[in-house]
Amino acid sequence: MQILVFSDTHLYLPFDKKKFNFLKKIVNESDQVIINGDFFDGYMNTFDKFVKSAWNQLFSLLKIKKTVYIYGNHDGKKSSDSQVNLFSEIQTERYKINIDNKIYIFEHGHKTRPTPDMLFKMSWRFKHYGIIFVHFIRNLFIKIFGKLAVKIMFGRLNSGAKRYIKRNYHLKNNDYYIIGHNHFGEVDEKNHFAASGMILYGFAQYLTIDSISGKITLHEEWYK
């Protein structure tokens, strides 16, 4: 049995057919799904618009896979409503599974690295236009420089998350922490840490976990 873990898809309108096809493929190839936060982008569109959009073609597929939905900072619990049940079986901010005497702990990761939207009080309109600008710049940068741009923008962020987790979470020897948020995938066995990356701007990183051995594998590809 293979568990798919992805995060930071930031689904918003207009609908992206290429991203949809990629998500459909990896979901269909899995046995269970854990969405590790920022599934939709609540700063780009309201949750109701998201649910009524063409992205809802994913919902039945995710429901079949008994999807666990972990709230992030762009799709926090206050940003949604009971319609999250359309695509997930469990909704939470923290989730644990036990595989081969190892405890895998999932959080989106925004507690390890607060972002401006968390630190300062902002109107939805300000967040909306701000994130449009951020998405535009990141998308342009990645189109020009490819994975180098991903590394420059996001590659360093996991190190701070690891330090935060080690200092504040007091992990046991059999605990493994898996986060999203930093938009850069990584598997660090030594520090019992993994990051699920992003599926955004044509670039995809995601994790699979073998439900028998507990082996975590990082996958990476372009979907454009």
Side-chain angles (χ1 to χ4, degrees):
M1 179 173 169
Q2 180 171 271
I3 302 168
L4 168 67
V5 184
F6 69 84
S7 65
D8 298 277
T9 49
H10 289 268
L11 302 181
Y12 56 82
L13 301 174
F15 177 71
D16 184 338
K17 183 71 172 177
K18 291 178 180 178
K19 183 187 282 193
F20 168 79
N21 287 334
F22 179 78
L23 287 169
K24 180 179 177 181
K25 176 179 78 74
I26 63 174
V27 168
N28 278 331
E29 290 171 351
S30 68
D31 298 296
Q32 186 184 6
V33 176
I34 297 174
I35 301 176
N36 207 7
D38 286 358
F39 179 46
F40 72 96
D41 197 319
Y43 301 162
M44 292 291 286
N45 299 105
T46 65
F47 181 63
D48 194 54
K49 284 185 178 179
F50 166 67
V51 168
K52 292 176 180 177
S53 73
W55 290 115
N56 65 20
Q57 297 173 75
L58 288 171
F59 292 1
S60 61
L61 302 177
L62 291 168
K63 194 73 173 180
I64 289 169
K65 304 297 181 175
K66 300 187 183 302
T67 295
V68 176
Y69 173 42
I70 297 168
Y71 295 108
N73 57 309
H74 282 248
D75 62 351
K77 191 172 183 178
K78 291 181 180 178
S79 301
S80 58
D81 56 37
S82 61
Q83 294 178 97
V84 293
N85 293 307
L86 294 173
F87 57 81
S88 58
E89 290 290 316
I90 297 172
Q91 306 86 33
T92 184
E93 293 185 346
R94 196 168 193 259
Y95 184 68
K96 292 182 181 182
I97 55 175
N98 188 328
I99 302 175
D100 193 28
N101 295 317
K102 299 173 185 175
I103 307 297
Y104 294 84
I105 306 165
F106 301 85
E107 282 188 9
H108 177 58
H110 51 294
K111 292 179 182 178
T112 72
R113 184 178 61 84
T115 48
D117 58 296
M118 300 167 62
L119 295 172
F120 305 104
K121 188 174 182 179
M122 304 176 187
S123 67
W124 186 87
R125 185 178 294 274
F126 187 86
K127 292 177 182 178
H128 175 68
Y129 288 108
I131 202 65
I132 286 175
F133 177 75
V134 167
H135 281 315
F136 173 78
I137 294 298
R138 288 175 175 173
N139 192 27
L140 180 63
F141 197 27
I142 289 172
K143 278 186 177 179
I144 296 172
F145 298 105
K147 184 168 180 192
L148 175 62
V150 179
K151 286 184 176 180
I152 291 171
M153 289 189 291
F154 309 119
R156 71 195 185 282
L157 299 178
N158 288 336
S159 59
K162 284 182 237 186
R163 287 194 298 270
Y164 181 93
I165 290 168
K166 186 176 182 179
R167 184 173 64 248
N168 295 287
Y169 285 20
H170 308 294
L171 300 186
K172 298 177 182 177
N173 289 335
N174 62 336
D175 287 346
Y176 288 74
Y177 230 88
I178 302 174
I179 68 168
H181 187 54
N182 290 333
H183 292 196
F184 195 79
E186 180 183 359
V187 177
D188 183 348
E189 289 282 351
K190 180 180 177 181
N191 288 293
H192 290 204
F193 172 89
S196 47
M198 67 174 179
I199 301 176
L200 196 61
Y201 315 125
F203 182 70
Q205 290 180 316
Y206 60 95
L207 304 172
T208 55
I209 304 175
D210 187 285
S211 65
I212 297 175
S213 68
K215 178 178 172 56
I216 305 173
T217 303
L218 173 65
H219 304 264
E220 178 181 303
E221 58 187 291
W222 295 90
Y223 61 85
K224 285 189 176 181

